[in-house]
């Protein structure tokens, strides 16, 4: 899918050193998700505009030369089939929605393994992670997938590391949860290049993206999607918890406010959320603390108080136990990304 650039005669310091064009391939599977595909491709096009030169060339690849139908019914004509695909700098697999295992034919899996053997970075958009896992190309890597498919991926491939984050950039594997998270992931990859931070910032402005989300941000799984409409009491309790992170509400009061006993509340949390009410409340507070650590310059002690912890020491102990590193370690790690 060749791209041309118009009206870019204006002098700019970013154009002083012409950079080699990177060829980014998008392997589209039947029933692929259009929003994730478009979010990635358009972000690369806008990055070219922001840089006032062609930095990225995008090509569409399929199992063969036949048109590929997306999940919304749109048909896309591939530029190449896997047997005649050009040399690539990165390949993204744009997954099907819902996942269809029949798409993972032996030639397709072998082609992906060949690219991995050639040290070509591989990525997955939405359920694209599933195909990479079927090709045995995610072992030892952190990856992600849309929250609706996390449990299915865990069950099918117990040996891989799956997170609930918007996207994961782990060495030469780039995976995202789909939707507009593909834009965030591409912007982060652009920012890694020389002069990339400025190009990514300008591209975000052109995309009317007021905030580029980082790799450490988690997908927010709506509780109603987990529970449906069958547990209004539980949803109400969680809503109260979310609204009272700085001054946590006691379990007795939560139960009384929702006309249930403490024992009933504990049973509801255990059955539908596989946690005690206290554990769930603590996770909400720690998740909020993580957001503040990565997205604000607040002192750790102030974040601890804002998330309902009596002391920085107690906060640090809980945080380290849950996330595997201290609050300051989290902040330092985030600054390096």
């Amino acid at each position: 899918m060749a791209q041309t650039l118009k009206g870019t005669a204006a002098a700019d310091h970013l154009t002083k050193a012409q950079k080699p064009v990177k060829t980014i391939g998008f392997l589209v599977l039947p029933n692929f998700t259009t929003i994730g595909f478009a979010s990635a491709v358009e972000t690369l096009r806008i990055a070219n505009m922001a840089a006032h030169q062609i930095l990225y060339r995008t090509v569409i690849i399929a199992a063969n030369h036949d048109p590929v139908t997306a999940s919304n019914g749109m048909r896309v004509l591939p530029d190449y089939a896997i047997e005649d695909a050009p040399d690539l700098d990165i390949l993204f697999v744009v997954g099907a929605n819902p996942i269809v295992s029949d798409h993972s034919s032996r030639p397709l899996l072998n082609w992906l393994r060949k690219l991995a053997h050639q040290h070509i970075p591989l990525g997955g958009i939405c359920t694209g992670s599933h195909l990479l896992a079927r090709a045995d190309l995610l072992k030892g890597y952190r990856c992600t997938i849309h929250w609706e498919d996390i449990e299915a991926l865990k069950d099918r491939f117990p040996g891989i590391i799956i997170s609930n984050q918007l996207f994961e950039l782990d060495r030469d594997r780039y995976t995202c949860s789909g939707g507009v998270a593909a834009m965030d992931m591409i912007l982060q990859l652009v920012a890694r290049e020389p002069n990339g931070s400025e190009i990514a910032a300008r591209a975000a402005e052109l995309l009317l993206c007021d905030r580029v989300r980082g790799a450490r941000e988690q997908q927010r799984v709506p509780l109603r999607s987990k529970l449906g409409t069958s547990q209004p009491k539980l949803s109400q309790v969680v809503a109260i918890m979310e609204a009272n992170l700085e001054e946590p509400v006691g379990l007795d009061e939560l139960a009384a406010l929702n006309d249930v006993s403490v024992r009933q509340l504990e049973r509801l949390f255990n059955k539908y959320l596989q946690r005690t009410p206290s554990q769930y409340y603590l996770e909400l507070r720690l998740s909020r603390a993580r957001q503040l650590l990565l997205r604000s310059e607040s002192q750790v002690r102030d974040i601890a108080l804002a998330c309902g912890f009596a002391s920085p020491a107690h906060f640090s102990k809980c945080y380290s136990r849950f996330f595997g590193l201290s609050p300051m370690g989290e902040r330092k790690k985030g600054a390096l990304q």
Side-chain angles (χ1 to χ4, degrees):
M1 195 166 79
Q3 298 173 353
T4 60
L5 202 61
K6 299 179 181 179
T8 59
D12 190 284
H13 70 279
L14 294 176
T15 64
K16 289 181 180 179
Q18 291 295 319
K19 302 171 186 175
V21 176
K22 288 193 172 184
T23 300
I24 314 297
F26 290 87
L27 175 65
V28 291
L29 303 180
N31 219 35
F32 71 93
T33 55
T34 309
I35 186 170
F37 169 71
S39 295
V41 171
E42 281 297 286
T43 301
L44 290 168
R45 182 181 71 86
I46 297 297
N48 286 339
M49 292 178 61
H52 297 300
Q53 63 176 295
I54 299 294
L55 298 177
Y56 304 100
R57 167 181 174 245
T58 59
V59 295
I60 303 175
I61 304 170
N64 52 53
H65 290 282
D66 296 334
V68 183
T69 303
S71 57
N72 63 1
M74 182 181 76
R75 302 182 79 199
V76 172
L77 184 65
D79 300 305
Y80 301 94
I82 58 174
E83 70 267 14
D84 59 11
D87 291 339
L88 301 171
D89 292 285
I90 303 174
L91 175 79
F92 288 102
V93 179
V94 188
N97 184 16
I99 295 171
V100 180
S101 59
D102 292 345
H103 296 164
S104 52
S105 65
R106 185 178 296 275
L108 193 56
L109 295 175
N110 287 339
W111 182 66
L112 291 173
R113 293 172 185 136
K114 177 184 175 182
L115 293 181
H117 184 71
Q118 295 171 347
H119 304 291
I120 305 300
L122 300 174
I125 294 174
C126 195
T127 62
S129 303
H130 191 272
L131 186 59
L132 293 177
R134 284 186 65 84
D136 201 27
L137 297 174
L138 289 180
K139 283 187 177 178
Y141 290 90
R142 285 181 63 85
C143 70
T144 192
I145 196 169
H146 193 278
W147 58 265
E148 288 185 314
D149 301 298
I150 287 177
E151 293 305 319
L153 193 65
K154 285 180 178 178
D155 292 341
R156 179 68 178 82
F157 306 102
I160 65 176
I161 307 166
I162 308 166
S163 81
N164 188 41
Q165 294 178 182
L166 289 172
F167 59 92
E168 288 281 358
L169 307 179
D170 188 354
R171 290 160 288 166
D172 56 355
R173 294 292 183 272
Y174 314 139
T175 56
C176 80
S177 53
V180 296
M183 177 181 69
D184 297 292
M185 176 178 69
I186 295 297
L187 287 172
Q188 290 286 342
L189 289 172
V190 170
R192 288 182 166 190
E193 299 294 326
N195 295 321
S197 295
E198 186 174 346
I199 294 171
R202 290 173 59 180
E205 290 179 354
L206 291 169
L207 287 162
L208 301 181
C209 173
D210 61 349
R211 184 177 72 86
V212 180
R213 296 177 295 179
R216 306 292 293 178
E217 296 194 41
Q218 294 187 345
Q219 303 176 56
R220 179 169 175 78
V221 182
L223 189 62
R224 61 180 179 275
S225 297
K226 294 179 179 178
L227 304 179
T229 58
S230 61
Q231 297 300 322
K233 295 287 188 185
L234 184 54
S235 297
Q236 289 169 15
V237 171
V238 171
I240 293 172
M241 288 179 170
E242 291 176 333
N244 294 273
L245 299 180
E246 185 172 356
E247 297 183 9
V249 180
L251 187 57
D252 289 339
E253 188 175 356
L254 285 170
L257 287 170
N258 290 276
D259 297 320
V260 294
S261 68
V262 170
R263 182 59 184 149
Q264 286 175 308
L265 196 58
E266 290 173 337
R267 282 199 296 265
L268 286 172
F269 270 84
N270 183 60
K271 181 175 181 179
Y272 294 102
L273 299 176
Q274 293 77 53
R275 296 164 178 80
T276 67
S278 297
Q279 287 171 334
Y280 190 86
Y281 211 165
L282 178 61
E283 289 180 22
L284 286 177
R285 291 157 55 208
L286 289 171
S287 295
R288 174 58 178 161
R290 191 181 204 183
Q291 290 179 344
L292 292 173
L293 282 166
L294 296 173
R295 291 166 47 190
S296 77
E297 297 181 357
S298 299
Q299 297 292 321
V300 170
R301 63 176 180 273
D302 295 329
I303 292 174
L305 293 174
C307 296
F309 293 92
S311 69
H314 182 229
F315 168 57
S316 183
K317 180 179 180 181
C318 293
Y319 196 97
S320 300
R321 184 181 300 159
F322 188 73
F323 288 115
L325 72 171
S326 69
M328 288 304 299
E330 180 79 88
R331 177 164 275 176
K332 289 178 182 178
K333 185 175 181 181
L336 294 175
Q337 292 187 343

